[in-house]
């Protein structure tokens, strides 16, 4: 939620940004993307990618159908995602190739899982799911950490045509049950506990709480990971190892329609209720595999690719699981945090596996910057040839640091803009083709038609700023919001006619390069995680002593944005340090620890307009210690100065 001042600051900085990095000639020569890729016609491009990148049981008969705002792609085609990600590689003699080098968090725990291994495990688990009554169309929830069985579970669902929703392991019981109820999940797959920074996260315990509120879940499959004891409910819970015991590994892949539901990914919007973003089979798979091939310049025979995200978010779905496996990549998958047991864990992993491509988020890069380059310097990172960034605007300093200290001052850095809704990367450099600028995501991907519009819907020219839009459908675009077509239309398609409104501010420079400026709505971006202000406000107001709450974000040097909450307690009660801790915990319990406010300011009143609307803009000014904007519309202007005083004396900060 970048404020106007912030956006102006960003614009000023970018206009001063004159450093450019043309593609290194050696890279350009061997690159998957060549300059003529931009010359291809949109339809010819996606037609060819669809035919050549995927294997079809029945070929599609029509490229796409566009009845705004509803799109269909690759109509008439039949295919299976797990077949494309596994079997065809095995059939083509690449079964012994490693799909995942899995690195557990506890030191020394490793597994190399080949395509043949993965195919067998997926087919076996798919058969186990079938035995548990899962059929084509049965909705399945998955709540796991970064263990190999997570992609196994996802792929097993795709094999039998059961749509999944993966819920990030850091989410609360309420968040999990809310999603399971919305999707009407019948089965939940989880694990006893997950490792995190040497301690454990009680996933099964949280899952139990969630299932108490999600009566539709009749079966819960539990993977043993840490081995600590967890309660199992007779008749409902079954251990993963028991479920696969004696089950064969022959499971023919279900023939799915191009437009069959593949998965839902819930994401925060501008209301308290997360939206179930719909992704379907063929378009999604083609979009993620195509972008992965060109943007990461993947050479499946030689590259070791590492996307250091969590599979619980869209980045992990598209660029740890579906894109890389569809392309036959060898990936690294890491279970733990970057600072365990020490802050050089990532660099140690890169050295040991010879990682050639690394994809991560600016917030992680800024953490490494804060810790200092000496951790990276302890390791040989010379295998790296390409770096990527995603999730939030990357500031030029972080971009430069990343290239210099991780990329030996020579690797291209691709800053990739996209969203849960877009499914695939949309605005990005192509390494070997694009001249890079630190902080710019540069150009729309081939076959993507983007633009920047002003408030009235006029396209702004080079040098202009406004709202980022997408003007034509693309294969992996969301097909809607689950069970809520009106919200789908309202959120993305009502600002401009038949044009997708992304919710991000952007600017185009004289070279027609895009600069992303952050969200223009009530969505915050904290450490690359999307959180809505209203979601956090609802969680706070849910506490019995809270009368009212207003939430906004302020800038943070590491996490990009940090959450600030202004809270009025019932009965005119004053806040206390204990109350502050209690409220933060309450938000963690309602949503998840990622949504905990960094600061809470207790105040007897919130600044409101005469019509009773909370003026978040002013709260943001207070949160960032800025001179206050216009206060003339306030019902009671003294409220803000009171809040300012309190913010300075009471605001507590924690990371
Ligand atoms: C932001 C994550 C600037 C943006 C893949 C978008 C970015 C939201 C970038 C989507 C980037 C993502 N530069 N901003 N390279 N990448 N964003 O759905 O505000 O978790 O709307 O998808 O992240 O977040 P989501």
């Amino acid at each position: 939620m970048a404020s106007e001042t912030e956006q102006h600051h960003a614009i000023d900085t970018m206009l001063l940004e004159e450093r450019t990095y043309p593609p290194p000639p050696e890279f350009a020569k061997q690159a998957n993307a060549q300059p003529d890729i931009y010359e291809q016609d949109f339809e010819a491009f996606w037609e060819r990618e669809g035919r050549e990148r995927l294997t079809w049981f029945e070929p599609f008969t029509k490229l796409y159908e566009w009845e705004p705002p509803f799109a269909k792609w690759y109509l008439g085609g039949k295919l299976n995602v797990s077949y494309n990600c596994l079997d065809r590689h095995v059939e083509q003699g690449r079964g012994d190739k490693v799909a995942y080098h899995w690195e557990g968090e506890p030191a020394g725990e490793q597994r190399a899982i080949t395509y043949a291994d993965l195919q067998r495990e997926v087919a076996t688990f798919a058969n186990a799911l079938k035995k548990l009554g899962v059929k084509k169309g049965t909705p399945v929830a998955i709540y796991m950490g970064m263990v190999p069985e997570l992609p196994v579970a996802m792929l097993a669902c795709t094999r039998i045509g059961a749509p999944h929703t993966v819920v990030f392991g850091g989410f609360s019981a309420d968040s999990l049950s809310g999603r399971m109820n919305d999707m009407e999940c019948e089965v939940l797959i989880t694990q006893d506990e997950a490792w995190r920074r040497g301690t454990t996260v009680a996933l099964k315990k949280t899952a139990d709480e969630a299932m108490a509120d999600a009566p539709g879940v009749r079966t819960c499959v539990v993977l043993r990971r840490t081995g600590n004891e967890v309660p199992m409910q007779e008749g409902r819970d079954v251990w993963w190892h028991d479920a696969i015991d004696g089950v064969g590994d022959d499971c023919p892949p279900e023939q799915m329609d191009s437009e069959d539901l593949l998965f839902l990914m819930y994401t925060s919007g501008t209301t308290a209720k997360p939206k179930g973003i719909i992704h379907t089979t063929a378009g999604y798979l083609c979009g993620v595999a195509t972008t992965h091939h060109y943007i990461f310049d993947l050479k499946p025979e030689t590259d070791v690719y590492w996307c250091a995200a969590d599979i619980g978010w869209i980045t992990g779905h598209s660029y740890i699981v579906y894109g890389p496996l569809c392309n036959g990549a060898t990936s690294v998958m890491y279970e733990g945090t970057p600072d365990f047991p020490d802050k050089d864990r990532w660099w140690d992993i890169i050295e040991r596996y010879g990682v050639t491509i690394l994809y991560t988020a600016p917030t992680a890069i800024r953490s490494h910057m804060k810790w200092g380059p000496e951790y990276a310097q302890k390791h040989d990172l010379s295998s790296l040839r390409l770096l990527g960034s995603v999730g939030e605007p990357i500031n030029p300093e972080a971009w430069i640091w990343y290239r210099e200290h991780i990329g030996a001052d020579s690797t291209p850095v691709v800053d990739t803009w996209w969203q849960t809704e877009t499914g695939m990367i949309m605005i990005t450099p192509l390494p070997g083709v694009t001249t890079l600028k630190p902080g710019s995501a540069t150009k729309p991907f081939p076959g993507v038609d983007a633009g920047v519009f002003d408030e009235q819907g006029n396209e702004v020219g080079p040098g202009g700023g406004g709202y980022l839009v997408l003007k034509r459908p693309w294969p992996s675009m969301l097909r809607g919001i689950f069970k809520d077509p009106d919200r789908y239309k309202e959120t993305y398609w009502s600002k401009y006619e038949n044009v997708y409104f992304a919710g991000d501010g952007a600017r185009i420079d004289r070279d027609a390069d895009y600069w992303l400026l952050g969200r223009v709505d009530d969505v915050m971006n904290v450490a690359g995680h999307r959180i809505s202000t209203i979601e956090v406000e609802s969680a706070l107001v849910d506490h019995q002593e809270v009368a009212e709450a207003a939430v906004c974000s302020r800038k943070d040097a590491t996490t990009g944005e940090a959450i600030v909450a202004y809270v009025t307690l019932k009965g005119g009660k004053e806040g206390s340090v204990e109350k502050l801790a209690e409220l933060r915990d309450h938000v963690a319990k309602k949503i998840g620890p990622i949504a905990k406010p960094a600061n809470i300011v207790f105040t007897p009143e919130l600044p409101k307009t005469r019509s009773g609307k909370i003026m978040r803009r002013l709260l943001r000014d207070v949160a960032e210690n800025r001179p206050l904007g216009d206060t003339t519309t306030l019902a009671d202007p003294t409220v803000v100065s009171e809040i300012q005083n309190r913010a300075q004396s009471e605001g507590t900060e924690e990371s």
Side-chain angles (χ1 to χ4, degrees):
M1 199 173 45
S3 69
E4 259 172 60
T5 335
E6 250 171 40
Q7 296 203 355
H8 286 140
H9 176 72
I11 292 168
D12 292 346
T13 335
M14 80 180 61
L15 290 179
L16 295 174
E17 184 56 75
E18 282 176 350
R19 288 167 289 194
T20 54
Y21 298 80
E26 329 74 73
F27 198 111
K29 245 191 300 174
Q30 59 82 60
N32 289 352
Q34 293 299 319
D36 64 353
I37 192 171
Y38 287 109
E39 288 158 24
Q40 292 171 47
D41 158 62
F42 154 87
E43 292 182 8
F45 179 79
W46 288 118
E47 172 90 27
R48 195 202 55 215
E49 292 297 333
R51 299 238 179 258
E52 292 176 8
R53 203 161 294 287
L54 305 184
T55 304
W56 299 86
F57 297 135
E58 272 175 44
F60 58 92
T61 49
K62 190 173 177 197
L63 179 64
Y64 75 112
E65 212 172 78
W66 178 223
E67 280 169 31
F70 296 99
K72 289 183 180 156
W73 280 82
Y74 302 118
L75 290 89
K78 292 232 185 276
L79 75 168
N80 181 280
V81 168
S82 85
Y83 178 85
N84 273 275
C85 290
L86 304 169
D87 304 56
R88 62 169 177 162
H89 303 313
V90 177
E91 286 166 11
Q92 289 160 16
R94 296 194 299 270
D96 291 340
K97 194 170 182 296
V98 172
Y100 290 117
H101 288 291
W102 179 76
E103 167 102 356
E105 191 189 83
E109 243 191 288
Q110 287 151 8
R111 274 177 69 186
I113 303 152
T114 66
Y115 274 90
D117 295 336
L118 200 56
Q119 196 270 343
R120 258 191 318 272
E121 286 194 34
V122 165
T124 308
F125 191 63
N127 277 335
L129 287 177
K130 276 202 224 166
K131 245 177 66 185
L132 292 167
V134 178
K135 297 188 189 64
K136 183 172 175 173
T138 309
V140 174
I142 305 177
Y143 183 62
M144 300 178 89
M146 287 288 286
V147 290
E149 288 80 0
L150 169 53
V152 168
M154 294 162 75
L155 289 158
C157 287
T158 71
R159 192 162 194 89
I160 56 181
H164 62 66
T165 189
V166 179
V167 180
F168 171 61
F171 273 124
S172 65
D174 279 4
S175 300
L176 176 57
S177 63
R179 285 157 170 78
M180 293 196 295
N181 286 331
D182 191 66
M183 195 180 179
E184 300 174 38
C185 293
E186 293 175 27
V187 173
L188 169 62
I189 305 167
T190 187
Q191 61 191 68
D192 50 5
E193 298 169 322
W195 285 115
R196 190 175 168 81
R197 230 177 242 127
T199 62
T200 57
V201 182
L203 293 181
K204 174 62 164 58
K205 181 168 167 281
T206 308
D208 282 337
E209 286 170 35
M211 283 187 284
D213 284 334
V217 179
R218 53 177 171 76
T219 303
C220 177
V221 183
V222 187
L223 175 81
R224 185 169 277 158
R225 171 64 188 118
T226 64
N228 290 328
E229 207 161 310
V230 291
M232 295 289 279
Q233 186 178 308
E234 185 77 39
R236 184 194 69 185
D237 301 347
V238 40
W239 286 107
W240 179 297
H241 54 263
D242 290 334
I244 59 170
D245 190 34
V247 169
D249 61 9
D250 178 26
C251 177
E254 194 73 38
Q255 302 215 355
M256 302 299 287
D257 250 41
S258 286
E259 280 298 332
D260 276 337
L261 175 61
L262 182 62
F263 66 82
L264 298 184
M265 168 56 73
Y266 285 84
T267 189
S268 292
T270 51
T271 69
K273 193 172 172 275
K275 312 175 273 200
I277 302 297
I278 300 173
H279 283 294
T280 57
T281 303
Y284 173 80
L285 190 64
C286 184
V288 298
T290 303
T291 46
H292 183 258
H293 171 79
Y294 292 113
I295 298 164
F296 298 110
D297 191 47
L298 185 87
K299 308 289 192 292
E301 300 311 321
T302 47
D303 275 316
V304 179
Y305 161 88
W306 184 18
C307 168
D310 191 291
I311 293 174
W313 307 103
I314 193 70
T315 304
H317 277 54
S318 299
Y319 298 109
I320 299 178
V321 182
Y322 294 118
L325 292 178
C326 189
N327 288 334
T330 293
S331 295
V332 166
M333 176 177 170
Y334 171 50
E335 183 181 34
T337 58
D339 54 352
F340 188 84
D342 204 351
K343 300 184 175 66
D344 67 339
R345 184 67 186 265
W346 275 19
W347 318 127
D348 176 48
I349 290 175
I350 290 176
E351 180 174 14
R352 271 189 290 118
Y353 295 102
V355 172
T356 57
I357 305 162
L358 175 67
Y359 190 33
T360 184
T363 187
I365 299 164
R366 289 191 299 262
S367 292
H368 289 294
M369 279 172 81
K370 198 169 68 185
W371 298 334
E374 55 274 21
Y375 292 98
Q377 281 154 8
K378 282 203 266 180
H379 297 275
D380 178 5
L381 305 182
S382 61
S383 54
L384 286 170
R385 65 180 193 95
L386 179 59
L387 302 174
S389 169
V390 59
E392 40 175 328
I394 181 163
N395 42 313
E397 308 81 74
W399 194 103
I400 301 269
W401 189 93
Y402 192 27
R403 184 179 189 277
E404 185 177 320
H405 293 285
I406 309 306
D409 220 357
S410 62
T411 61
V413 176
V414 290
D415 172 18
T416 63
W417 178 90
W418 58 297
Q419 307 177 299
T420 303
E421 290 87 341
T422 67
M424 67 177 212
I425 296 169
M426 301 296 281
I427 300 186
T428 178
L430 292 178
V433 177
T434 313
T435 291
L436 307 170
K437 293 174 192 167
S440 169
T442 70
K443 301 270 194 282
F445 184 75
V448 167
D449 197 2
V452 177
F453 278 14
D454 68 13
E455 196 66 42
Q456 286 70 44
N458 306 306
E459 181 131 21
V460 307
Y467 302 107
L468 180 69
V469 298
L470 299 165
K471 297 185 285 182
R472 249 200 301 219
W474 61 100
S476 65
M477 72 184 267
L478 75 165
R479 298 301 192 261
I481 295 176
F482 194 59
K483 294 202 271 198
D484 206 344
D486 291 340
R487 192 173 172 196
Y488 171 63
K489 289 182 196 157
E490 168 63 29
T491 310
Y492 308 105
W493 304 95
S494 64
K495 193 166 176 78
Y496 306 114
E497 205 182 327
N498 299 345
V499 164
Y500 175 88
F501 169 68
D504 279 56
R507 193 173 164 90
I508 295 206
D509 71 13
R510 288 174 218 94
D511 306 321
D513 280 328
Y514 285 68
W515 298 78
L516 277 308
L517 303 176
R519 303 288 306 193
V520 294
D521 53 13
D522 287 328
V523 174
M524 301 178 285
N525 191 328
V526 181
H529 300 144
R530 255 170 92 163
I531 302 163
S532 107
T533 52
I534 299 158
E535 228 174 317
V536 180
E537 285 168 7
S538 314
L540 285 165
V541 174
D542 176 82
H543 188 281
Q544 52 183 11
E545 288 170 62
V546 173
E548 251 189 329
V551 166
C552 67
S553 69
R554 61 163 169 80
K555 257 210 182 115
D556 182 275
T558 308
T559 56
E561 290 176 45
I563 302 175
V564 181
Y566 298 86
V567 170
T568 307
L569 295 175
K570 282 182 187 159
K573 273 224 203 92
E574 286 285 325
S576 63
V577 175
E578 294 74 41
K579 199 53 64 195
L580 190 145
E582 197 180 312
L583 292 186
R584 292 182 82 235
D585 287 345
H586 191 72
V587 174
K589 195 171 168 316
K590 294 304 288 183
I591 305 172
I594 54 166
K596 272 189 185 182
N599 313 71
I600 295 180
V601 179
F602 292 103
T603 166
E605 257 178 289
L606 296 172
K608 289 187 189 156
T609 61
R610 288 180 198 100
S611 61
K613 262 186 86 176
I614 294 172
M615 290 193 69
R616 286 208 183 75
R617 179 174 56 76
L618 290 179
L619 293 174
R620 220 147 50 215
D621 289 339
V622 174
E624 299 199 330
N625 258 326
R626 278 195 301 259
L628 297 181
D630 186 11
T631 57
T632 50
T633 52
L634 280 179
D636 177 3
T638 59
V639 170
V640 205
S641 43
E642 170 73 19
I643 294 178
Q644 260 181 323
N645 293 337
R646 283 167 179 262
Q648 272 148 24
S649 58
E650 281 180 23
T652 329
E653 210 165 312
E654 269 179 61
S655 59

